[in-house]
């Protein structure tokens, strides 16, 4: 397409649509074009206000009215005009933006035909970037929200990572309900907040039925937990009971327990663990002699116990004594020193004979001096 124009000398020139050539050879054409562009708006402005269509915008971005770009607001036009939004999304900064939402009379389309006189507004929403940071990946987010709008935030109070390991909600770094899993925030600027968690491990304790072991439950990572177990648990009778022998780890991964033989100790929580308070049955062993108690103690089932009785005890010097002769209450040898395996309660007595000393005096000598068991016959 070409346009015929006269140059300053009066000669007719065929000019293409290149803007520079038009400006040089056809300045009158630009005037006519400007009149043509402004004619609809000017004509509409001549209409009475009650018959005008006034278009406004919450963001000052150009629009088109019947294909003509307009950047002045309010833009006045006539009923039946087709008005189009040119900018639907514009970034104010890296973390703020304006987003076209709808027309004030309802439509969400960018182009509408305004058939009725009146005031119409192109509505934009000012959005800011809301970032939620979290140790748990599932609760990290970055979303655009309307500036100043109340935005609900929610996390679970407890999140299980794996059996025996969990995270418990602690707090948000900002918001209306910082210490509740359900929070609300109304950001008026780009905002970053964090949800904080407490990592916890489960400590399981095993022991004899009915035994209360202290320390069972969930504990924060790195915390020091005091384990307590009763040293003694009563048994079926007065002469048998259960005795604490130590803590042992039964979980995987295994745990090294310092001072495991102590019923009270401190354990540092670095993972979930299952620990058994180990008990063994013990029996009362009472060993006596005519002179009193030799030994009374509780002995673990299956343990070896050494006992010893004096071979003889003088009651009256060179006159009367008692002499060890064996053990009663257990199948033991005749030696005064014995080692026995304990598998039941035992009452053991050291058995003694009473002996008297017989002294024979004669001017010509005699035989028969010595110690004789009480009741036995002495031959002199």
């Amino acid at each position: 397409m070409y346009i015929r124009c006269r140059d300053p000398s009066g000669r007719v020139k065929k000019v293409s649509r290149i803007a520079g050539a038009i400006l040089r050879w056809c300045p009158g054409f630009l005037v006519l074009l400007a009149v043509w562009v402004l004619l609809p708006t000017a004509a509409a402005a001549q209409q009475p206000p009650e018959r005008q269509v006034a278009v406004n915008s919450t963001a000052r971005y150009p629009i088109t009215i019947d294909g003509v770009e307009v950047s002045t607001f309010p833009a006045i036009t006539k009923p039946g005009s087709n008005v189009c939004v040119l900018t639907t999304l514009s970034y104010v900064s890296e973390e703020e933006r304006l987003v076209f939402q709808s027309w004030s009379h309802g439509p969400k389309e960018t182009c509408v035909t305004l058939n009725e006189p009146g005031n119409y507004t192109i509505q934009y929403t000012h959005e800011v970037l809301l970032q939620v940071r979290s140790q748990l990946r599932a609760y990290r987010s970055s979303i655009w929200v309307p500036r100043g709008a109340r935005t609900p935030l929610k996390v679970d109070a407890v999140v299980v990572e794996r059996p025996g390991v969990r995270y418990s909600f602690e707090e948000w770094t900002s918001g209306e309900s910082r210490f509740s899993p359900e929070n609300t925030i109304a950001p008026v600027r780009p905002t970053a907040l964090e949800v904080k968690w407490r990592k916890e491990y489960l400590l399981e304790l095993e022991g004899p039925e009915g035994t209360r072991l202290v320390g069972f439950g969930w504990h924060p990572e790195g915390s020091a937990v005091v384990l307590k177990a009763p040293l003694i648990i009563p048994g079926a009778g007065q002469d048998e009971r259960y005795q604490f022998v130590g803590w042992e780890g039964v979980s995987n991964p295994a745990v090294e327990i310092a001072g495991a033989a102590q019923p009270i100790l401190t354990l540092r929580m670095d993972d979930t663990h299952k620990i058994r308070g180990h008990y063994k049955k013990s029996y009362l062993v009472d060993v006596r002699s005519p002179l009193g108690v030799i030994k009374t103690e509780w002995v673990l089932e299956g343990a070896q116990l050494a006992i010893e009785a004096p071979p003889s005890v003088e009651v009256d010097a060179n006159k009367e004594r008692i002499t060890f002769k064996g053990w009663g209450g257990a199948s033991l040898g005749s030696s005064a020193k014995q080692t026995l395996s304990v598998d039941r309660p035992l009452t053991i007595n050291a058995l003694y004979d009473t002996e008297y000393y017989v002294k024979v005096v004669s001017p010509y000598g005699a035989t028969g001096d010595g110690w004789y068991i009480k009741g036995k016959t002495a031959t002199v």
Side-chain angles (χ1 to χ4, degrees):
M1 176 181 177
Y2 292 91
I3 300 173
R4 293 179 178 272
C5 298
R6 294 181 182 273
D7 63 14
S9 64
R11 289 177 296 177
V12 176
K13 298 281 188 179
K14 286 174 51 177
V15 182
S16 68
R17 289 179 295 173
I18 299 175
I22 294 175
L23 181 60
R24 180 179 179 185
W25 302 109
C26 302
F29 175 76
L30 294 179
V31 175
L32 292 174
L33 179 61
V35 172
W36 176 76
V37 168
L38 297 176
L39 186 60
T41 303
Q46 300 302 318
Q47 299 291 329
E50 63 273 10
R51 297 187 60 186
Q52 291 178 351
V53 171
V55 179
N56 218 323
S57 176
T58 57
R60 301 301 182 174
Y61 297 121
I63 61 174
T64 62
I65 300 177
D66 293 328
V68 178
E69 185 173 307
V70 177
S71 58
T72 303
F73 295 94
I76 307 300
T77 186
K78 62 183 184 301
S81 296
N82 182 263
V83 184
C84 291
V85 175
L86 298 179
T87 304
T88 58
L89 176 63
S90 177
Y91 284 85
V92 179
S93 69
E94 292 181 351
E95 297 179 332
E96 290 186 75
R97 68 184 188 182
L98 295 172
V99 181
F100 167 74
Q101 292 297 315
S102 67
W103 292 82
S104 57
H105 62 297
K108 297 183 180 297
E109 295 81 11
T110 56
C111 290
V112 295
T113 299
L114 305 177
N115 294 315
E116 299 294 331
N119 296 315
Y120 300 88
T121 302
I122 304 168
Q123 297 176 331
Y124 283 83
T125 299
H126 189 163
E127 294 182 339
V128 295
L129 190 62
L130 174 63
Q131 298 180 58
V132 178
R133 298 167 182 169
S134 171
Q135 182 180 358
L136 302 181
R137 186 180 299 274
Y139 293 100
R140 298 174 189 170
S141 63
S142 181
I143 58 174
W144 291 97
V145 298
R147 184 179 64 173
R150 299 181 78 250
T151 304
L153 302 171
K154 182 179 179 181
V155 296
D156 292 326
V158 175
V159 178
V160 177
E161 182 183 80
R162 55 184 169 89
V165 182
R166 73 181 188 183
Y167 291 85
S168 292
F169 167 82
E170 283 196 313
E171 64 174 306
W172 302 86
T173 54
S174 61
E176 298 178 8
S177 306
R178 289 182 53 184
F179 306 106
S180 170
E182 297 187 23
N183 192 13
T184 301
I185 190 169
V188 295
R189 63 181 63 86
T191 302
L193 74 161
E194 181 181 358
V195 53
K196 295 185 177 181
W197 304 89
R198 181 178 65 251
K199 191 173 186 178
E200 299 175 332
Y201 296 116
L202 176 63
L203 176 61
E204 297 182 80
L205 300 179
E206 294 182 349
E209 185 177 355
T211 304
R212 182 176 179 269
L213 303 178
V214 176
F216 180 92
W218 291 93
H219 302 281
E221 181 180 35
S223 62
V225 181
V226 177
L227 305 186
K228 293 182 180 181
L231 184 60
I232 302 298
I233 300 175
Q238 292 185 348
D239 52 3
E240 66 178 61
R241 68 186 186 182
Y242 293 90
Q243 183 173 327
F244 177 83
V245 294
W247 300 97
E248 57 182 5
V250 294
S251 61
N252 187 19
V255 57
E256 294 185 8
I257 306 175
Q262 302 300 318
I264 301 177
L265 59 82
T266 300
L267 178 68
R268 184 75 59 181
M269 293 301 296
D270 57 358
D271 205 335
T272 178
H273 296 293
K274 182 182 290 185
I275 298 175
R276 178 185 295 123
H278 190 45
Y279 284 80
K280 280 189 176 182
K281 184 179 284 189
S282 60
Y283 301 106
L284 180 63
V285 178
D286 186 31
V287 183
R288 297 176 180 268
S289 75
L291 301 177
V293 176
I294 296 176
K295 180 177 289 188
T296 297
E297 66 180 69
W298 290 92
V299 183
L300 293 176
E301 184 177 35
Q304 300 292 310
L305 177 67
I307 59 175
E308 183 178 1
S312 65
V313 178
E314 283 194 352
V315 178
D316 191 355
N318 296 320
K319 292 183 180 180
E320 182 182 349
R321 72 181 184 184
I322 56 176
T323 305
F324 178 81
K325 68 175 182 178
W327 298 96
S331 299
L332 300 173
S334 59
S335 172
K337 183 182 292 185
Q338 296 287 331
T339 299
L340 66 154
S341 180
V342 178
D343 58 1
R344 67 185 187 278
L346 292 172
T347 300
I348 301 174
N349 293 301
L351 304 178
Y352 284 82
D353 284 328
T354 300
E355 295 182 343
Y356 299 109
Y357 188 78
V358 176
K359 183 178 182 181
V360 181
V361 179
S362 170
Y364 303 105
T367 62
D369 283 2
W371 291 95
Y372 291 90
I373 298 175
K374 180 181 179 180
K376 297 292 182 180
T377 300
T379 301
V380 178

